[in-house]
Amino acid sequence: MKKFNIRKVLDGLTAVSSSSASPQPGNRENDLIQETLQSEHFQLCKTVRHGFPYQPSSMAFDPVQKILAIGTQNGALRLFGRPGVECYCQHDSGAAVIQLQFLINEGALVSALADDSVHLWNLRQKRPAILHSLKFNRERITFCHLPFQSKWLYVGTERGNIHIVNVESFTLSGYVIMWNKAIELSSKAHPGPVVHISDNPMDEGKLIIGFESGIVVLWDLKSKKADYRYTYDEAIHSVAWHHEGKQFICSHSDGTLTIWNVKSPAKPAQTITPHGKQPKDGKKPEPCKPILKVEYKTTRAGDPFMILSGGLSYDTVGRRPCLTVMHGKSTAVLEMDYPIVDFLTLCETPYPNDFQEPYAVVVLLEKDLVVIDLAQNGYPIFENPYPLTIHESPVTCCEYFADCPVDLIPALYSVGSRQKRQGYSKKEWPISGGNWGLGTQSYPEIIITGHADGSVKFWDASAIMLQVLYKLKTAKVFEKARNKEDKPNTDIVDEDPFAIQILSWCPESRMLCVAGVSAHVIVYRFSKQEVMTEVVQLLEVRLQYELNDMESPDAGGEQPPALPTPGATSSPQASAPQSHPSTSSSSSDGIRDNVPCLKVRSTPLKQSPGYQVELVVQLVWVSGEPPQQITSLAVNSSYGLVVFGNSNGLAIVDYLQKTVLLNLGTIELYGSNDPYQRQPRSPRKTRQPSGGLCDISEGSTTSEDRCKSPTSAKMSRKLSLPTELKPDLVLLSVCPSRAVNPLDNRDNSFSRSRSSSVTSIDKESREAITAFHFCETFTRKTDSATTPSLWVGTSLGTVLVIALNLPPAGEQRLLQPVIVSPSGTLIRLKGSILRMAFLDATGSFLPPAYEPWYEPNAPDDRDEKDKVRKRRPVSVSPSSSQEMNENQYAVICSEKQAKVIALPSQTCIFKHNITETSFVLRADVVQMSNGICVACFCANGHIMTLSLPGLRPLLDVNYLPLTDMRIARTFCFTNNGQAMYLTSPTEIQRITYSQETCENLQEMLGELFTPVETPEAPNRGFFKGLFGGGAQSLDREELFGESVAGKASRSLAQHIPGPGGIEGMKGAASGVVGDLARARIALDERGQKLSELEERTAAMMASADSFSKHAHDMMLKCKDKKWYQF
């Protein structure tokens, strides 16, 4: 074992009064425990990203592979196959993805970006990589088109020109279609950017080009001139062909569709205004909003489908965005919840010159993905199997649990499956490509998200998948506002009064506790049976900061009587628990007192199977002061207790007896041990907003240990921090998606309840409760046996211990009071306390005691119920039967440092200063497959792990700088080297810090590309072959190749070989050999030779590095082969 730094440990002597840093003769803890974890067990990598792609901008679909690609405004690329097969890639530039085009059934994708670059992605490897890029220098890209089974990509630009790119070599052809040649004298002005390019489905030699101004040109590629020009006086947004190539349709900015016969350019064959009101006198219908896109799809048996987005009339104010499906004489208008970004019609055939047979429409919205079934009456939507609803209401907090009890996921799934909506399409989800990975990880994982609307969602996160299991709505226990004006007057938050701030969950007992932004705590039990709750159990707690020396600034005003605080007396257990009924909602002079922020419902509550309310605890107003937001929360099923704290103090509640056991101001917790000189309270001159986080202060505290840092990921408490961070920090208040500055708003909202008799203490000595830990341990130095206790951590770096004296289990537990008393034990660290945990004498993790789950609504047979309750062990903690010589270790981690303290001696045996310049945002004590460690995420972006109990640094990676407070609030570590955070308002990013998981990741990831036969091309038929007609093919190589067209200007665009070019080929080559072996049998039957291809593949694997040099020769030798067969 490595030696620890004695000098650093000596620094800690001041912090723990009796700590002995160097190993004492009688204190050989550090020699006894051999640490198993080494730095080679750790490696950091991203595993998978879940959720809806944030700010989507484009979409493409491969109809043969059945893979959907979505590009976003920040250069991300998300690929979706069958449920459970998804992949995330990122363009380095971060520029918006303006268009995506699959090389259909070839395992490749072309992306065009707003920075005028075009990229070729190889999808034949599990982590797709860029093979080639081309960056245009002088032209801006506006539209791209890649014909099916062609290797020549048409690129239209803002100047109205069209360039042609060879997708094999990613070089530009010398063939260019210049705008002035295309329009010649048909228009005096510049026609605008190219908004559309496509070839005639029946004749590859004819290209239709749509210019923004309203001009459409049919270009003959061979003769290099325009055959026809079609002009319309409204701007064009999109163009679509009829599959026979004799007609095309344009959508315009005035809400009209024009249908043109190819050979009659004089005027449109038909003009339709789908949403325009037709005037009676035959005049033109009134203009509508632009039709942004139209698709024209034919069917063998019936009428064609015309599908369009936009085009609503201007008088439909407040109407939601719509997709219109016109089929024969029927027009269906499908309302969407969000604006439409793009849509695609899914068709049975990849060939543009065949009947299209559309069967579904994929609609990409700003915040959702909807797939509509075209084959069923009423166009129902498919049930979306992807986890895209993370952001249904903004996420306000998360917790992640790996290695849960195995029966948990089935239990949550069975209650959640009853919440499913009805009315979905009966068909299978149409995006069904790819294959699942071979998951070697078999342990259950659960992610819980808390949301701004008070909902809590449970997700199955096992084996790098994500699936929603169950949704709980916590707002149901409160009265609903009857009308808009009658909003719950919370005065703590401007909106989202039910937002979840903290979650505390015990997976073994399934007890759930949530703390909300309106200073409320709700305790839930899990039940598989429905129950009707006549009265929701409610406790109101008056948690206030010290009441002594209260002054009234009103000269001659009545001084309100000081209420005794329960637990503040010399013998805390003597004071009866107080639960104030809300009798005095406001005193005669209008001061709000004893009123909670939300009203609990008075009517009976029907509780479905799943999580059911056991108890609601609310903090109340105290003499015109709103309650402070809750900063920490813990529940323990073995003791039947829930505890919560804020910047005023803490309250311990017995949820079995529904009583408040302790209600103490932070100062009173210290008793005579208070290390701070606190200022007596002085009248408040200006009213401070009490929105938790807004209490931001500049100065330093009396203690030199006070760190200047913002809050931990799940807390809202007093902050003292560098000024440049302040504007962002205010947003942490709960709902980061709304960029309001709560400081200003809240000051105004408080002016209503401003009162001159409000008093305050010196802000600097306000100390918040930041962490709790229930455990069975040695509470005092003199203890010879372990007893239940509660460890409390504060924002000033103090750990205090409260002893718990529990009655015997069974009936006695419900009748006798639990006795709680501060023990006098006090431990000090630098910085706010984030996490506490305990190890036994061998250095193994000691979990808090818990009680196994039982059905709370069992049949109402009292004796049976009691038997069940008596049988349950009060503690499943191995520490309860420890002898005196068996010591324990407390692990305490703050924003600045970590300490390991031997118990019962309370000696600090290890100490590690985690960071000097930054501060830790999240710390967790986690179980790895071969040991236990502390994992920390720092505000400077570093992720670190420390060994236990020795606190040796094992991993320190600069992962990501803290760009926004969302990451700080949602980052969490869990067992087996897993971690997660919200990388955008809609997406969860999962990462691993385990070497083992990083090595197995390749196997676990799904395959996007699977070898599939391309469908047969449509038959031309005898007569069409005889008399012409049918599809005309074109030798594009002859037209666009270097020998005929020459080289393009070098300054026009530069070629950049992609990182996936050579390395990607090495990785993909072995896969390609396997693919070829599978494809070989099929190809042999068709009498095709593969010898040339196999030699090529062998050569490619042997010298992947020279791949780029040979690519050109290969292309020329095998010009008739598809590029993917190399």
Side-chain angles (χ1 to χ4, degrees), residues 355-429:
F355 284 100
Q356 296 298 287
E357 303 296 349
Y359 58 91
V361 186
V362 182
V363 190
L364 177 62
L365 308 175
E366 274 181 14
K367 293 185 180 176
D368 201 2
L369 181 75
V370 176
V371 183
I372 296 160
D373 184 351
L374 286 180
Q376 252 177 281
N377 281 342
Y379 304 133
I381 64 168
F382 288 88
E383 185 174 5
N384 196 321
Y386 305 135
L388 302 182
T389 58
I390 292 167
H391 62 288
E392 195 172 19
S393 166
V395 175
T396 50
C397 61
C398 308
E399 290 298 331
Y400 188 3
F401 301 85
D403 220 359
C404 304
V406 287
D407 56 349
L408 251 181
I409 289 175
L412 286 163
Y413 180 78
S414 72
V415 294
S417 57
R418 305 173 194 192
Q419 301 176 324
K420 291 271 169 71
R421 282 178 45 202
Q422 300 301 312
Y424 289 114
S425 166
K426 306 278 189 294
K427 293 219 186 84
E428 288 288 304
W429 181 248

Side-chain angles (χ1 to χ4, degrees), residues 619-937:
L619 291 182
V620 294
W621 284 65
V622 177
S623 322
E625 277 281 298
Q628 296 290 314
Q629 287 183 0
I630 291 162
T631 55
S632 51
L633 173 74
V635 65
N636 185 290
S637 55
S638 176
Y639 308 153
L641 301 180
V642 63
V643 56
F644 57 92
N646 62 14
S647 56
N648 285 343
L650 70 95
I652 304 178
V653 171
D654 178 342
Y655 65 76
L656 297 176
Q657 294 189 22
K658 315 280 189 285
T659 54
V660 181
L661 300 173
L662 182 71
N663 172 355
L664 267 190
T666 321
I667 299 171
E668 293 153 324
L669 264 179
Y670 285 96
S672 56
N673 295 346
D674 194 350
Y676 300 108
Q677 281 82 53
R678 298 179 196 258
Q679 303 290 315
R681 307 218 298 177
S682 59
R684 244 185 208 190
K685 304 279 189 303
T686 57
R687 184 62 193 267
Q688 289 298 333
S690 307
L693 276 202
C694 304
D695 201 356
I696 299 181
S697 51
E698 314 261 33
S700 66
T701 58
T702 48
S703 149
E704 68 273 24
D705 276 346
R706 176 72 189 115
C707 61
K708 294 195 165 66
S709 77
T711 169
S712 113
K714 24 194 290 202
M715 276 151 219
S716 42
R717 57 167 172 78
K718 183 185 117 268
L719 305 172
S720 123
L721 46 109
T723 39
E724 65 274 8
L725 258 172
K726 280 190 190 148
D728 299 26
L729 260 150
V730 174
L731 296 184
L732 216 156
S733 66
V734 152
C735 192
S737 59
R738 300 181 173 81
V740 297
N741 184 340
L743 277 178
D744 308 337
N745 298 357
R746 292 187 184 173
D747 247 2
N748 302 337
S749 67
F750 280 123
S751 57
R752 292 193 299 276
S753 55
R754 205 175 285 255
S755 144
S756 56
S757 66
V758 170
T759 58
S760 84
I761 60 149
D762 171 40
K763 273 168 67 189
E764 273 313 316
S765 56
R766 184 64 72 100
E767 182 176 12
I769 308 289
T770 56
F772 290 118
H773 192 82
F774 283 103
C775 57
E776 205 123 322
T777 186
F778 302 96
T779 307
R780 300 173 181 85
K781 284 186 198 177
T782 52
D783 284 4
S784 59
T786 60
T787 52
S789 63
L790 169 66
W791 290 52
V792 180
T794 77
S795 57
L796 296 186
T798 310
V799 174
L800 301 142
V801 184
I802 295 174
L804 308 172
N805 190 342
L806 297 152
E811 200 163 328
Q812 291 300 305
R813 173 65 186 84
L814 299 174
L815 301 174
Q816 295 182 25
V818 177
I819 296 164
V820 294
S821 50
S823 66
T825 298
L826 186 129
I827 297 163
R828 299 267 307 116
L829 274 79
K830 262 194 211 165
S832 177
I833 306 295
L834 297 179
R835 181 75 61 216
M836 296 174 277
F838 288 79
L839 312 179
D840 66 13
T842 65
S844 303
F845 183 59
L846 272 183
Y850 62 83
E851 137 190 301
W853 177 77
Y854 67 96
E855 174 54 68
N857 301 324
D860 217 21
D861 192 344
R862 270 310 283 277
D863 306 335
E864 281 299 309
K865 221 169 183 179
D866 283 354
K867 271 184 206 159
V868 175
R869 290 192 82 100
K870 277 183 184 136
R871 274 205 311 273
R872 283 181 286 117
V874 170
S875 169
V876 190
S877 161
S879 58
S880 49
S881 59
Q882 289 189 330
E883 276 84 58
M884 170 55 201
N885 56 1
E886 290 272 289
N887 51 2
Q888 290 186 3
Y889 302 99
V891 181
I892 304 171
C893 187
S894 79
E895 292 180 318
K896 289 288 185 181
Q897 58 182 191
K899 284 185 179 179
V900 173
I901 288 150
L903 300 175
S905 65
Q906 294 181 17
T907 317
C908 175
I909 55 165
F910 295 106
K911 169 182 158 181
H912 176 71
N913 286 329
I914 301 169
T915 172
E916 296 297 335
T917 52
S918 185
F919 48 91
V920 179
L921 285 162
R922 174 79 185 213
D924 288 287
V925 174
V926 290
Q927 193 88 46
M928 303 291 281
S929 58
N930 46 1
I932 177 174
C933 67
V934 182
C936 308
F937 172 55

Side-chain angles (χ1 to χ4, degrees), residues 913-969:
N913 286 329
I914 301 169
T915 172
E916 296 297 335
T917 52
S918 185
F919 48 91
V920 179
L921 285 162
R922 174 79 185 213
D924 288 287
V925 174
V926 290
Q927 193 88 46
M928 303 291 281
S929 58
N930 46 1
I932 177 174
C933 67
V934 182
C936 308
F937 172 55
C938 250
N940 58 9
H942 283 251
I943 288 178
M944 294 175 255
T945 60
L946 306 171
S947 72
L948 282 176
L951 299 178
R952 289 177 298 119
L954 297 172
L955 171 82
D956 185 351
V957 178
N958 188 359
Y959 174 68
L960 90 164
L962 184 62
T963 45
D964 58 40
M965 294 313 291
R966 181 191 316 105
I967 297 171
R969 207 186 50 256

